[in-house]
Amino acid sequence: MRRNLISHPICPHCWHKFRPEEVLWISNHPDLRGDPLLSQDDQRRFLPSRFNPSGEALDERGSRCQKIACPNCHLPIPMVLLETRAKIFSIVGAPASGKSYIITCASWRMRQSMPTKFGLVFSDADPLNNTVVNSNEERLFLRENKDEYVHIEKTEMQGRQYNSVQFDPGLVTLLPHPFLFTMAPTEAHPNGSAGARLRQVLCLYDNAGEHFLPGADSAIAPGTQHLAKSRVVMFVFDPTQDVSLRALMSKESADPQLRTGERTTRQGIVLNEMIGRIRSHTGMGAGEKVEQPLIVVVSKSDAWKDLIPDEDMQSEPYVPGPRDGILVADQTRITRVSDKVKAMLTRMVPEFVSAADSAFQRVVYIPVSALGCAPSVDPATGLLRVKPSQIKPWWIDVPFIYAFARWSRVLVGKYQTPSLPLEALSLEDSEPGGSLGN
Amino acid sequence: MAIELHYTSAPRGLAPGSSGFCTVAASRGFPAALISRLESLTGYRIPDGLAEAPPAFSHWIIDLQGVERHVLAAIRSSDPDHTRRSNKHAHFVVLKPEELADEGAAWMMMQNGTMADCWVGEPTLIESERSVPRSLGRGASACQTWERCAGDAGWAGVLAGNVLRDPSRPTAVIYPMGTPVLALIDEALSILPARSRWRVTFTTFFMQPVAGLRCSWRFCLEGSEAAHAAQRSAQVIDLCARHPLTRTGEVIEAAREGRVFVPHETEAAQFESQPMVSAPIELEPEHPNHHSDHGGGKAGPTGGASSLGARRDRDRDSEPQGIQSKRGFFIIVASLALILGLLAVYSFRQRDAGATVKPSANGVAVEGGEGNSSGASDEGTTSSLAEAKRETNRLEREVEVLNARLKSAESGLQAAQSAQSELAPMQGQVTQLQAQLAEAQSQVQRLTGETESARAALEAATKAQESTNGQGGDHQVIVRWESTPISLPRFANGQYQPGKAQRLAKGVSVKTSVADLRSLDVMVNGMRVMAFGEAIGSCSSDGTDLMWTWSLDQLTSGCIDKLKKGGVEGEAGWKALAGIIRFDVARGDGTAVSVRMGNMTECTLRHDSSETIQIGLPLANVVVSDGDLSPSITAAGNTHRSELKVDGDPAGSVSFILSEGGKFLKVEFQPPQADPAKAAKARIQVQRQVVHSMQSDIAILRAALILEQRANGAGGSGGSGSGAGGSSGGGGGGSGGAGGGNGGSNDVDTGSPLRQTLDAAVVGILEQRFKPSDLAEWQAQPNTRQAILGRLGGELEQEFKTASQELTTLEKRPVLPAVPQSELSPAARQALRGFDATVTTSNGVPLVRVRGSAQ
């Protein structure tokens, strides 16, 4: 088997850039337990000097090893990352803005729709790292009893969604689990003949909202430093937490999150904190605009859809492409909706919109609803929860599809204006300077 | 007083701007570094598929800036937070050393009021330190919870035994929902000595390992991910399966009987050497049953004993006499302690008259003064009465323990008296020994002379052996002639297939880099210069010398290319000139190395089996292969002559293939060997001298022992006789003298000539054959010389037996004759031209031994 190694892979755990020959292997012999950076349960990492003819490293005891690890943090990374650079989509938002629900519903939706609608395989690149998102998908979508109330646990700042690494004695750093998905064209795809070359790895993080609050970025919890490495930044704006919007929405919606006395958050502060971190970790000047596109994911659109009554935010914005059976993103419609959402936010939260426009070169506003319905309050426990049978996500995968269509057309095509012919898919990224790269 | 911290999800936290999961309350002055460390330990999640999860009670030992802190933690689900999402509450109590109760962490957490289960209110700094329960002096009790949950209380002993045996190796316990886990831990801790209980870290709801934190006992909820992972570990107790306990051992018996297990000194020392805060914890009194079952290791149903129990029993069988001789002192101490204890009990009972004890609503015993006219309002009186009552209880338990010890000591005294009476009839034997001593006296002078001559002969024989070896221990190379090209299973006809090996190399790297060098093992003159996986350092060229230092990331291949000659300096300060000009390493195949080393004159290469070979090659290309030999053949195609010297012992594995004119030589390594016939004779000679020398020394030790026995009155008191008896019972083949004689009693005196001569000889033997501590003990403690001589004499006799058997074996060993080189086939002679070789045959196959230097 031939491997086309990339020059400088990035660790999805600690975002360390390294050369392929620096990668560590994870020993396999049971005697070689205990890694100095990890726990006594972890197999020791080592830089091999011996390989068998299959290219597998041999550890000190001669056992064949198949798994590799980052030379910096020693956490395991999938072998595919030596050949394909992960595209990090950073998802940011205040606590309780719905990030976990969006990631869960979007991954579930993309597993379903990518093969049938876009001719793409969307699968786990590393099932071990995706355990949490897979578990959440099962909670929401794979229940036998669809009428039994379910909920996703509040995202922790510690625990099983994080790996602890002891870079220095006594100093334990918590690094978030990355969710890694592989996207590759199938034979039905217009670029299906170049499937392996066009394979891409999508990397997402489900940070706790507390991580994005001012002061939460520290040496022991550097969980949001993926912002500096991300290709796309998605900011989840929750209108139900904004005081101005709540006043409008509460007249139209019975969503329990809009009840009087519920908590509100100044999400502009979270946005500014995020911008500050991106500048800090990338070394940008104060006047420079961030090159990565910002997608403002305006969540819980089922609760505020009446604020933009002339737009359909429920049906998918995809249209048939030049090849039979393959859809492309309707960029015209998405852009139109984006403009209207922006106009609405400009009226209600102008400081948020101006902060986004002044910091980012490109900003798009996409309304989504992860559940497609309002949650209800469990009288017994007081928790917000939902019945699986009621979950009908709105536009939940659109931010991801749109990002790939606009900034990396090799996988998803786009439909721009009715007057122009449909664009064929290209093997090259579009929009110079704004591509997602390979 | 302890400090505490509360962590939960709240609209506002203690730190400005914090919200959601955050610290909401902490004692004033709580170390900031400890806050972040504890926050990282608050992970808690209900396992998938379960509606609820048990609370996680934990005891952690956290190293904070060099100080170890004992932390009690309780994490559990709590009411939904302000966003109506799931929530948890974590409560941490950080204890000071003086607050560590003898009963252990689990007991403290089981007491009402120690751990909080929720936090209500605004974020705040807690001004008052948290009160924690004080020790009640509770002893061990039968592990009834274990019996109920696991079917056998002995499982608590298994758990305790595991942590004593290897504290760094965790034990997982898988339990079903509803199990009283904290009570299980409390019972298991109770059978450990008090000083050991706080060295055990545990958690009642283990989820995942945390870097930098040890968790000895991991209780995993059935069905959780942690439980699945635990099933694959070596040390698992599955309470769901309720397996019968087939292992036996004293710690298991202790768990069943409800007594404290006292580990052996070495085990205790190993266990206690684990880093932790040195706490002023009182030593747990030894259980009275501990001594009563000496030597009586109980056999279990399976007839075997656990390794721990078996080791203890073996150790007891060889209990040193010093312990037994301390019994008299122990009796005195125990008697005094008993008297003091009884007086204290009597005193406190008088003071405590009228006070009653009643249980409080929360189950903790509190003291009240119902019969006292001042009533419950007199808190000072109540407190002192409570204190007195606790002290009384503690002293009563001490008295019980001391009573048991006294009985044990009395029985030991009776045994000693009995032994003394048995020794009385042996006076006659003492007289006989005196006669033997006279004979020994006459032999000592002769034996001393013989010893000196034997030692001289041994040195001469050793030198002869070295000279016989020729090259002073250098390894040799066996070159096996192959008339046809070597057929390789993967690469037919020995042809190198371009691309295949290239791909192997390309899999990770084709260039030498700093990282490559880090993984290189380099041996120079038998010493490891660089350890596997460790950094080695920079090189700086100073004229013609190269210095290797232990710094990071400075060494590059480019730098190596400029080197001419190298010196090596290790971390320990030793220095060795190695004659290294360049070194390199191949990953997967040797092609790249061969190319890079095209102009080399000397090199060091890493061998397949992690040994390192020093090679001097004036004109040859040498490659190292790892599984794939064909590139080696190709690369070595122009080899003309070679000189190979092996440093290390590659144990004869295939290492190089050299080709010459289309023919192939397979080169193997073999440890150094002399001419077989001469080497065998020299070996026999040396072994004979060794045996003779031992005989002489044994005789001297015996003579000295006899003298000591006389001086001590034939065996002394107590158990000291066992050591002497043991040595004299060793018997066998020595020349130590029995027989009559008329040695006068004045020879026993320390100033007698015989005594002085023997003492000098014994000192010489001890210096030469035994540890310095043995000599120091012999010189420092004249009263125990008899025991020392008995013990060391026994050891030497065992060595003598082994050496004698080896000599016998050597003398019967056949010796293969050497084969002249002229008898080799013409083809082989042609191939070996230029080598300084001797030849032997084995099963018709010519074997050529090439010496370390080429002609």
Side-chain angles (χ1 to χ4, degrees):
Chain A
M1 182 179 170
R2 183 181 179 85
R3 292 188 186 280
N4 293 311
L5 304 181
I6 57 176
S7 60
H8 286 90
I10 293 178
C11 170
H13 299 282
C14 66
W15 313 288
H16 173 69
K17 191 180 281 188
F18 55 93
R19 289 180 297 161
E21 64 265 29
E22 293 175 330
V23 74
L24 301 181
W25 288 67
I26 301 174
S27 61
N28 206 22
H29 195 281
D31 287 352
L32 302 176
R33 277 193 179 270
D35 186 86
L37 264 61
L38 306 177
S39 72
Q40 57 184 346
D41 290 19
D42 289 287
Q43 290 288 140
R44 195 177 305 159
R45 275 61 168 162
F46 69 105
L47 186 66
S49 59
R50 296 189 297 158
F51 296 84
N52 67 6
S54 302
E56 297 168 324
L58 303 177
D59 63 23
E60 282 181 66
R61 302 294 174 90
S63 294
R64 301 185 331 181
C65 309
Q66 287 86 27
K67 295 178 181 173
I68 58 174
C70 168
N72 182 52
C73 67
H74 288 200
L75 292 172
I77 54 179
M79 196 75 80
V80 69
L81 287 184
L82 293 184
E83 302 179 67
T84 308
R85 180 160 298 130
K87 288 180 169 49
I88 297 174
F89 282 25
S90 293
I91 299 175
V92 186
S97 57
K99 296 179 293 300
S100 297
Y101 279 96
I102 287 175
I103 291 174
T104 303
C105 295
S107 64
W108 173 256
R109 174 59 68 90
M110 286 194 281
R111 287 183 209 273
Q112 311 299 314
S113 64
M114 284 285 199
T116 56
K117 295 178 180 173
F118 299 99
L120 297 171
V121 173
F122 186 85
S123 58
D124 293 326
D126 183 3
L128 193 63
N129 272 321
N130 289 6
T131 303
V132 172
V133 72
N134 287 339
S135 163
N136 287 342
E137 285 179 25
E138 289 166 13
R139 282 183 186 225
L140 297 186
F141 298 103
L142 296 174
R143 287 269 172 170
E144 265 189 48
N145 184 358
K146 300 283 186 189
D147 291 324
E148 183 184 3
Y149 281 104
V150 294
H151 71 278
I152 293 179
E153 302 267 343
K154 175 176 165 60
T155 307
E156 292 187 297
M157 296 180 74
Q158 310 81 19
R160 73 167 188 167
Q161 282 185 249
Y162 301 84
N163 288 304
S164 57
V165 181
Q166 191 172 226
F167 286 109
D168 294 308
L171 180 63
V172 176
T173 303
L174 295 176
L175 299 171
H177 275 294
F179 301 146
L180 295 166
F181 301 95
T182 303
M183 296 173 64
T186 63
E187 289 184 358
H189 192 274
N191 290 332
S193 57
R197 187 159 66 88
L198 299 181
R199 181 182 53 208
Q200 302 199 359
V201 175
L202 176 64
C203 180
L204 307 175
Y205 300 90
D206 186 13
N207 286 98
E210 291 88 334
H211 270 136
F212 300 106
L213 297 178
D217 187 29
S218 64
I220 61 167
T224 62
Q225 291 183 9
H226 52 79
L227 284 166
K229 307 287 183 185
S230 65
R231 300 303 182 92
V232 175
V233 179
M234 293 184 179
F235 188 96
V236 179
F237 182 89
D238 180 7
T240 67
Q241 292 193 38
D242 184 83
V243 175
S244 306
L245 286 164
R246 285 171 62 87
L248 291 176
M249 293 158 59
S250 57
K251 298 173 186 172
E252 312 291 339
S253 172
D255 193 319
Q257 298 169 95
L258 295 170
R259 286 178 190 161
T260 306
E262 292 295 323
R263 180 176 179 247
T264 60
T265 307
R266 292 182 63 188
Q267 296 172 78
I269 294 176
V270 180
L271 177 69
N272 285 323
E273 171 70 16
M274 179 195 79
I275 294 167
R277 290 187 194 178
I278 293 175
R279 291 189 191 284
S280 167
H281 294 311
T282 57
M284 289 175 58
E288 287 183 85
K289 283 197 171 186
V290 180
E291 191 176 328
Q292 298 108 300
L294 170 67
I295 297 179
V296 180
V297 179
V298 188
S299 63
K300 303 171 186 173
S301 61
D302 61 289
W304 56 269
K305 62 182 185 300
D306 294 335
L307 297 181
I308 307 178
D310 53 340
E311 283 294 345
D312 176 9
M313 293 185 288
Q314 187 170 3
S315 64
E316 293 177 333
Y318 309 133
V319 295
R323 177 175 283 201
D324 287 346
I326 301 297
L327 302 181
V328 297
D330 185 349
Q331 187 179 336
T332 303
R333 181 179 165 195
I334 295 171
T335 305
R336 188 179 69 239
V337 172
S338 171
D339 292 342
K340 292 186 178 180
V341 173
K342 180 181 179 182
M344 183 263 290
L345 291 179
T346 304
R347 285 198 310 275
M348 308 309 298
V349 276
E351 74 279 7
F352 180 89
V353 177
S354 62
D357 284 345
S358 62
F360 286 85
Q361 292 179 1
R362 292 160 291 170
V363 185
V364 181
Y365 296 82
I366 298 180
V368 304
S369 173
L371 302 178
C373 62
S376 57
V377 178
D378 182 356
T381 63
L383 290 169
L384 284 174
R385 54 186 197 168
V386 65
K387 287 181 179 177
S389 60
Q390 295 175 339
I391 300 175
K392 300 285 188 294
W394 296 5
W395 281 37
I396 192 64
D397 53 348
V398 172
F400 300 92
I401 298 293
Y402 179 80
F404 278 101
R406 181 164 177 187
W407 295 298
S408 177
R409 283 188 301 118
V410 297
L411 291 179
V412 181
K414 64 181 178 184
Y415 170 75
Q416 197 151 10
T417 64
S419 58
L420 297 176
L422 294 175
E423 288 185 1
L425 287 167
S426 166
L427 282 175
E428 304 302 326
D429 286 330
S430 62
E431 290 201 15
S435 74
L436 297 179
N438 277 322
Chain B
M1 303 291 274
I3 55 176
E4 61 182 317
L5 181 144
H6 294 264
Y7 180 94
T8 189
S9 176
R12 199 161 58 86
L14 201 54
S18 61
S19 176
F21 280 129
C22 57
T23 295
V24 292
S27 299
R28 183 176 290 281
F30 205 99
L34 190 56
I35 290 179
S36 56
R37 187 76 177 96
L38 295 184
E39 285 181 344
S40 72
L41 300 176
T42 57
Y44 181 86
R45 192 179 177 97
I46 298 174
D48 293 334
L50 298 179
E52 58 178 353
F57 291 99
S58 311
H59 167 229
W60 304 114
I61 301 175
I62 293 177
D63 186 339
L64 186 71
Q65 295 164 347
V67 178
E68 289 182 328
R69 312 255 184 164
H70 290 270
V71 177
L72 305 180
I75 310 174
R76 62 189 102 206
S77 295
S78 66
D79 292 339
D81 70 350
H82 55 290
T83 63
R84 297 188 184 279
R85 292 186 296 167
S86 55
N87 197 2
K88 65 187 173 188
H89 171 258
H91 182 218
F92 296 95
V93 176
V94 183
L95 300 171
K96 295 174 181 171
E98 62 270 22
E99 292 169 337
L100 308 181
D102 283 2
E103 287 84 349
W107 178 85
M108 285 188 79
M109 284 192 280
M110 289 170 71
Q111 306 309 305
N112 279 350
T114 305
M115 307 306 294
D117 56 5
C118 66
W119 172 260
V120 179
E122 291 295 305
T124 185
L125 280 174
I126 302 171
E127 299 293 342
S128 60
E129 292 191 323
R130 192 170 188 86
S131 175
V132 293
R134 297 178 58 186
S135 172
L136 299 177
R138 185 198 63 171
S141 57
C143 300
Q144 295 173 344
T145 311
W146 279 94
E147 188 167 10
R148 195 170 64 248
C149 297
D152 189 334
W155 283 110
V158 174
L159 189 65
N162 285 349
V163 75
L164 284 173
R165 189 159 45 244
D166 186 359
S168 66
R169 197 166 171 216
T171 301
V173 182
I174 301 171
Y175 63 92
M177 183 72 86
T179 304
V181 181
L182 208 51
L184 292 176
I185 295 174
D186 180 43
E187 287 182 356
L189 286 175
S190 73
I191 61 174
L192 293 173
R195 62 178 181 272
S196 301
R197 291 172 190 156
W198 284 95
R199 297 178 189 280
V200 179
T201 52
F202 61 81
T203 181
T204 62
F205 179 38
F206 182 78
M207 281 167 276
Q208 63 183 14
V210 178
L213 211 57
R214 197 186 70 189
C215 182
S216 303
W217 292 349
R218 302 172 170 182
F219 282 74
C220 309
L221 179 65
E222 179 189 22
S224 65
E225 288 178 25
H228 292 309
Q231 296 280 14
R232 297 191 293 270
S233 61
Q235 294 190 153
V236 185
I237 299 173
D238 192 346
L239 300 185
C240 306
R242 292 176 72 94
H243 294 298
L245 178 56
T246 56
R247 292 167 57 182
T248 60
E250 190 170 346
V251 64
I252 293 174
E253 290 304 318
R256 288 171 177 153
E257 296 167 10
R259 58 182 168 84
V260 173
F261 170 73
V262 181
H264 189 269
E265 287 177 4
T266 55
E267 290 167 348
Q270 180 190 358
F271 183 71
E272 289 162 15
S273 65
Q274 298 294 314
M276 68 166 290
V277 175
S278 56
I281 302 173
E282 290 182 5
L283 296 182
E284 180 74 9
E286 290 181 3
H287 193 278
N289 292 336
H290 173 62
H291 286 291
S292 62
D293 61 354
H294 256 201
K298 296 180 180 178
T302 59
S306 72
S307 59
L308 184 60
R311 193 162 60 247
R312 283 178 49 77
D313 291 341
R314 284 198 301 273
D315 290 340
R316 284 175 182 166
D317 291 341
S318 59
E319 185 179 63
Q321 293 176 350
I323 293 177
Q324 296 185 22
S325 63
K326 290 176 183 171
R327 280 182 180 159
F329 174 74
F330 183 70
I331 291 168
I332 296 169
V333 172
S335 304
L336 286 173
L338 175 63
I339 294 166
L340 288 173
L342 289 172
L343 285 173
V345 170
Y346 178 75
S347 169
F348 278 116
R349 280 185 172 164
Q350 292 298 315
R351 286 173 53 192
D352 206 21
T356 59
V357 178
K358 64 176 185 179
S360 71
N362 59 10
V364 178
V366 296
E367 290 75 24
E370 291 179 351
N372 193 322
S373 59
S374 59
S377 61
D378 189 351
E379 293 181 359
T381 306
T382 304
S383 173
S384 61
L385 282 172
E387 184 69 24
K389 185 63 182 173
R390 277 196 294 271
E391 189 65 17
T392 303
N393 290 337
R394 189 180 66 80
L395 287 169
E396 281 177 346
R397 278 188 292 274
E398 280 191 11
V399 168
E400 290 174 7
V401 172
L402 290 170
N403 267 330
R405 286 185 178 181
L406 180 60
K407 287 179 182 174
S408 174
E410 285 173 350
S411 63
L413 179 61
Q414 288 175 358
Q417 289 171 344
S418 172
Q420 194 170 10
S421 63
E422 289 174 3
L423 283 174
M426 297 173 68
Q427 289 299 328
Q429 296 179 24
V430 171
T431 308
Q432 189 179 356
L433 286 170
Q434 287 175 344
Q436 293 176 1
L437 176 63
E439 175 66 18
Q441 182 182 9
S442 64
Q443 291 184 5
V444 165
Q445 294 294 336
R446 178 173 55 82
L447 290 171
T448 305
E450 286 182 5
T451 302
E452 292 302 321
S453 61
R455 284 182 185 145
L458 177 61
E459 290 176 6
T462 305
K463 290 178 181 175
Q465 166 79 352
E466 291 176 354
S467 63
T468 307
N469 286 342
Q471 296 299 316
D474 283 345
H475 287 63
Q476 295 180 337
V477 182
I478 296 178
V479 183
R480 192 188 297 272
W481 171 250
E482 301 285 349
S483 58
T484 57
I486 297 168
S487 176
L488 299 170
R490 193 170 294 278
F491 301 96
N493 301 322
Q495 295 300 311
Y496 170 52
Q497 295 180 352
K500 185 127 189 173
Q502 286 285 355
R503 186 166 67 243
L504 292 176
K506 197 174 179 181
V508 172
S509 172
V510 295
K511 291 195 299 184
T512 302
S513 66
V514 176
D516 288 327
L517 298 174
R518 281 181 176 174
S519 65
L520 190 65
D521 280 349
V522 176
M523 303 284 288
V524 176
N525 294 339
M527 302 183 76
R528 186 181 296 271
V529 185
M530 306 169 198
F532 184 84
E534 292 183 12
I536 42 172
S538 65
C539 54
S540 59
S541 183
D542 179 14
T544 58
D545 290 331
L546 163 69
M547 297 299 296
W548 295 89
T549 58
W550 292 78
S551 58
L552 290 172
D553 294 329
Q554 298 297 317
L555 190 58
T556 66
S557 56
C559 187
I560 295 170
D561 288 337
K562 299 174 184 174
L563 304 180
K564 297 299 179 187
K565 198 170 179 65
V568 180
E569 184 176 27
E571 197 171 29
W574 59 268
K575 192 182 289 186
L577 286 177
I580 299 173
I581 289 184
R582 295 174 58 189
F583 67 88
D584 212 329
V585 62
R587 310 181 89 187
D589 74 320
T591 311
V593 172
S594 173
V595 172
R596 285 196 293 270
M597 292 193 167
N599 299 322
M600 68 181 179
T601 54
E602 293 181 55
C603 66
T604 296
L605 292 181
R606 181 166 184 257
H607 181 251
D608 192 7
S609 61
S610 296
E611 299 291 344
T612 301
I613 312 150
Q614 268 188 291
I615 309 157
L617 291 171
L619 296 171
N621 285 329
V622 172
V623 294
V624 181
S625 65
D626 186 1
D628 178 5
L629 297 176
S630 54
S632 308
I633 296 170
T634 303
N638 297 323
T639 300
H640 296 295
R641 52 188 294 179
S642 301
E643 175 190 12
L644 304 179
K645 188 172 80 171
V646 183
D647 184 9
D649 182 13
S653 60
V654 175
S655 299
F656 298 96
I657 291 184
L658 309 180
S659 69
E660 186 173 21
K663 298 173 184 174
F664 298 88
L665 283 178
K666 186 172 171 184
V667 183
E668 297 179 339
F669 297 110
Q670 199 173 65
Q673 283 187 346
D675 178 277
K678 290 181 180 176
K681 287 180 181 175
R683 178 72 184 128
I684 291 170
Q685 186 182 358
V686 169
Q687 190 65 21
R688 197 172 287 147
Q689 294 298 334
V690 167
V691 170
H692 290 170
S693 170
M694 283 184 176
Q695 283 178 311
S696 303
D697 288 351
I698 289 170
I700 293 170
L701 292 180
R702 281 186 176 176
L705 177 62
I706 290 168
L707 216 56
E708 287 295 337
Q709 285 174 333
R710 285 198 58 193
N712 293 336
S717 63
S720 62
S722 65
S727 69
S728 60
S735 58
N742 56 358
S745 60
N746 57 335
D747 289 333
V748 176
D749 297 336
T750 54
S752 71
L754 171 62
R755 187 68 179 261
Q756 290 177 353
T757 305
L758 271 176
D759 285 353
V762 168
V763 168
I765 294 169
L766 294 184
E767 282 178 343
Q768 187 181 5
R769 291 192 180 276
F770 297 99
K771 293 178 290 188
S773 57
D774 292 325
L775 176 60
E777 186 184 4
W778 192 83
Q779 289 175 329
Q781 300 180 27
N783 294 334
T784 61
R785 283 183 178 179
Q786 181 179 340
I788 296 170
L789 289 169
R791 175 169 56 85
L792 299 181
E795 290 177 10
L796 188 55
E797 284 172 1
Q798 288 301 319
E799 290 181 24
F800 169 75
K801 287 180 182 176
T802 306
S804 300
Q805 291 170 356
E806 192 174 343
L807 177 61
T808 308
T809 306
L810 286 171
E811 287 175 341
K812 294 178 180 176
R813 181 174 168 179
V815 179
L816 291 175
V819 178
Q821 189 170 354
S822 57
E823 292 184 15
L824 202 61
S825 68
R829 288 201 301 275
Q830 173 70 14
L832 288 169
R833 70 181 188 280
F835 288 95
D836 177 18
T838 57
V839 182
T840 62
T841 57
S842 176
N843 297 327
V845 178
L847 291 177
V848 185
R849 285 182 167 75
V850 183
R851 293 193 183 277
S853 58
Q855 290 179 347

